[in-house]
Amino acid sequence: HALASYNGELYAGGGFGTFPPYNVARWNGSQWLSVFGGLGTSIASAGARAPVMALHVHQGSLYAAGAFQTSNAPPFGIVSVARLNPATGWEAVGSGLGGGATSTVIQSLASDGDDLLAVGRMLGLSPNLEGQVARWNGSTWTGTLTGFNSVPLNSVARVNGELLVGSDSLRL
């Protein structure tokens, strides 16, 4: 589902792995390696693998997003969005985006200045962010209205100062 270049290596995210690297791996030029045990199990089905849908480098850190609720190595309890600490492993990004909602799948990440943006299916969150761009300012997740309330968004980008979003559900 996703590729990113980080610290001179290629990272891949998807729905793969019956043993580590569980859904995220890095290519060092000769072989695929586990990234701290990988990321996750599904919120909806305990034990099922939940894919990493997006990888993005923001302010020098690699972020991963998808449908996962935990990492496969401590610390556990990472919800939908994770940041890679190259020394210690995956870290939670705030309280994540999901809060136990079985239908949360983050599909795209982008940078907007100092903020990290995320979109996807975000039903059941409090506050409800469906149809909004979730914005991480380094300490808090908030929503940015797009005018597409209740429409699941699946892509986001900042191009020439404009915030662009995409959805399979939009009819223009």
Side-chain angles (χ1 to χ4, degrees):
H1 294 288
L3 296 172
S5 175
Y6 177 67
N7 287 345
E9 295 181 312
L10 176 65
Y11 284 73
F16 53 84
T18 54
F19 55 90
Y22 300 130
N23 305 322
V24 63
R26 66 183 171 91
W27 177 254
N28 69 359
S30 61
Q31 65 181 334
W32 288 104
L33 302 170
S34 177
V35 183
F36 292 96
L39 289 165
T41 57
S42 169
I43 297 169
S45 177
R49 297 291 163 225
V52 169
M53 302 296 291
L55 294 170
H56 181 71
V57 177
H58 174 69
Q59 294 187 329
S61 294
L62 179 66
Y63 288 81
F68 51 86
Q69 181 163 339
T70 189
S71 63
N72 283 303
F76 300 107
I78 296 172
V79 182
S80 300
V81 183
R83 178 186 160 290
L84 179 61
N85 178 324
T88 60
W90 295 105
E91 300 174 339
V93 179
S95 58
L97 292 169
T102 60
S103 56
T104 298
V105 180
I106 305 304
Q107 295 189 335
S108 182
L109 298 171
S111 295
D112 185 20
D114 291 338
D115 294 347
L116 177 69
L117 307 177
V119 299
R121 177 166 291 284
M122 295 187 274
L123 295 173
L125 299 181
S126 180
N128 182 5
L129 296 178
E130 188 72 2
Q132 298 185 43
V133 176
R135 182 179 293 272
W136 173 253
N137 65 11
S139 61
T140 305
W141 284 105
T142 58
T144 299
L145 294 176
T146 61
F148 301 114
N149 294 346
S150 301
V151 174
L153 303 174
N154 60 19
S155 57
V156 62
R158 175 67 73 180
V159 179
N160 296 326
E162 297 290 328
L163 181 62
L164 305 175
V165 296
S167 174
D168 293 336
S169 300
L170 292 176
R171 302 282 189 260
L172 301 176

